[in-house]
């Protein structure tokens, strides 16, 4: 049976990018539907009635929600190509731990930088740098978080890097000066077709973030 795969997404969403990278890694063709989050489609409301958020993968009519859950589903269903999670149970648990860390720690800092001003923004920026340094420490001297090959943690984290330039513009700091090894890792990930074709242009993301900021902050 031909698989019907639909992705409900929104282009600047790092959560959606995770799913797009996973689908590209597996070579799966799918229909991409960019949602208007101010006026959500009936399909999105029907497929994710609990959170009403993107991304949602609709596989043969059945919805799968929450980006990390979707990526794990993709890895399990299309298990013949490019394994994303390691097969060893301990390594899998470690990979889930770090993916969860990116989930819990990065977006709140990013949000604090684009919605905050003055001291509040400084605090978010400081926390953001601390989180990046923790991740840089975990990367160590490995080429990828997964070791020699690109995997679940890389895929969970790299989408946020398309927001780095916007954060640097807003926070007036250099991520490369703070975390040079991490920036080397971003460049390595960008050499992968699945990542390069998924991550949007950082200037386009920056324009989007500046518009988003206007909703929260009167400059
Ligand atoms: C987060 C998805 C999310 O925040 C995941 O999939 O991993 N934990 C979830 N989606 C946002 C867009 S990206 O910031 C969303 O759909 N927001 C719509 C809304 O809140 O109404």
């Amino acid at each position: 049976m031909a698989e019907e795969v639909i992705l409900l997404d929104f282009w600047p969403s790092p959560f959606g990018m995770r799913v797009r990278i996973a689908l590209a890694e597996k070579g799966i063709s799918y229909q991409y539907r960019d949602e208007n989050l101010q006026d959500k489609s009936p399909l999105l409301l029907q497929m994710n009635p609990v959170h009403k958020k993107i991304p949602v993968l609709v596989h043969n009519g059945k919805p799968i929600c929450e980006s990390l859950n979707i990526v794990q589903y993709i890895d399990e269903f299309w298990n013949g190509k490019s394994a994303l999670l390691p097969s060893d149970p301990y390594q899998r648990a470690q990979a889930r731990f770090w993916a969860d860390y990116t989930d819990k720690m990065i977006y709140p800092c990013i949000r604090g930088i684009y919605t905050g001003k003055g001291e509040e923004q400084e605090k978010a920026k400081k926390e953001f740098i601390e989180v990046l340094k923790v991740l840089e420490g975990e990367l160590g001297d490995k080429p990828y978080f997964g070791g020699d090959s690109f995997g679940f943690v890389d895929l969970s984290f790299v989408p946020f890097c398309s927001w780095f330039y916007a954060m640097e513009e807003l926070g007036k700091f250099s991520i490369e000066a703070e975390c040079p090894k991490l920036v080397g890792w971003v460049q390595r990930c960008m050499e992968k077709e699945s990542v390069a074709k998924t991550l949007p242009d950082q200037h386009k993301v920056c324009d989007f973030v500046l518009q988003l900021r206007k909703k929260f902050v009167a400059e």
Side-chain angles (χ1 to χ4, degrees), residues 8-10 12-16 18-19 35-38 40 44 48 51-56 65-70 103 107 111 114 160 163 208 212:
L8 308 181
D9 203 342
F10 179 46
S13 167
F15 305 102
R18 288 172 167 170
V19 180
E35 284 282 332
N36 173 357
L37 297 179
Q38 312 313 317
K40 295 170 185 167
L44 174 58
N48 191 354
H51 295 304
K52 305 177 178 65
K53 289 185 178 191
I54 58 90
V56 181
C65 301
E66 289 293 312
S67 59
L68 293 181
N69 187 41
I70 301 171
D103 225 35
Y107 196 66
R111 198 181 147 82
Y114 77 72
F160 292 101
W163 286 54
F208 167 77
L212 195 61

Side-chain angles (χ1 to χ4, degrees), residues 6-26:
I6 302 171
L7 177 63
L8 308 181
D9 203 342
F10 179 46
W11 70 269
S13 167
F15 305 102
M17 288 175 217
R18 288 172 167 170
V19 180
R20 278 174 260 160
I21 296 171
L23 291 167
E25 280 289 311
K26 298 281 182 179

Side-chain angles (χ1 to χ4, degrees), residues 48-219:
N48 191 354
V50 177
H51 295 304
K52 305 177 178 65
K53 289 185 178 191
I54 58 90
V56 181
L57 189 78
V58 189
H59 184 199
N60 296 332
K62 292 185 295 190
I64 304 106
C65 301
E66 289 293 312
S67 59
L68 293 181
N69 187 41
I70 301 171
V71 171
Q72 291 180 71
Y73 174 83
I74 291 171
D75 202 30
E76 285 169 20
F77 190 87
W78 287 278
N79 59 4
K81 195 187 164 201
S82 308
L84 299 170
L85 274 136
S87 54
D88 173 70
Y90 183 74
Q91 296 302 330
R92 281 172 88 83
Q94 289 304 103
R96 288 200 201 96
F97 172 87
W98 284 108
D100 181 61
Y101 181 84
T102 67
D103 225 35
K104 291 198 172 98
M105 307 302 283
I106 298 176
Y107 196 66
C109 298
I110 285 185
R111 198 181 147 82
I113 296 173
Y114 77 72
T115 61
K117 267 178 101 169
E119 246 177 65
E120 197 189 331
Q121 194 187 46
E122 272 305 305
K123 189 169 165 271
K125 188 173 108 182
K126 204 167 151 261
E127 277 172 19
F128 184 50
I129 295 168
E130 279 167 18
V131 167
L132 295 182
K133 285 190 190 287
V134 169
L135 284 159
E136 190 176 56
E138 169 56 20
L139 177 67
D141 292 321
K142 303 190 292 281
Y144 297 104
F145 283 88
D148 287 333
S149 56
F150 180 85
F152 189 56
V153 182
D154 302 287
L155 174 155
S156 304
F157 180 23
V158 79
F160 292 101
C161 306
S162 61
W163 286 54
F164 277 7
Y165 173 71
M167 297 302 106
E168 291 177 320
E169 285 293 296
L170 284 170
K172 304 279 173 263
F173 68 116
S174 156
I175 294 175
E176 186 160 24
E178 300 285 349
C179 301
K181 272 191 186 171
L182 202 60
V183 171
W185 163 80
V186 178
Q187 285 160 357
R188 214 169 298 128
C189 290
M190 286 298 277
E191 285 166 16
K192 292 195 70 75
E193 199 192 333
S194 61
V195 177
K197 77 175 193 193
T198 298
L199 265 52
D201 177 70
Q202 55 180 2
H203 294 97
K204 195 176 161 205
V205 173
C206 188
D207 290 345
F208 167 77
V209 174
L210 294 177
Q211 287 303 317
L212 195 61
R213 180 172 169 80
K214 286 189 186 152
K215 281 195 200 161
F216 296 93
V217 188
E219 300 282 3

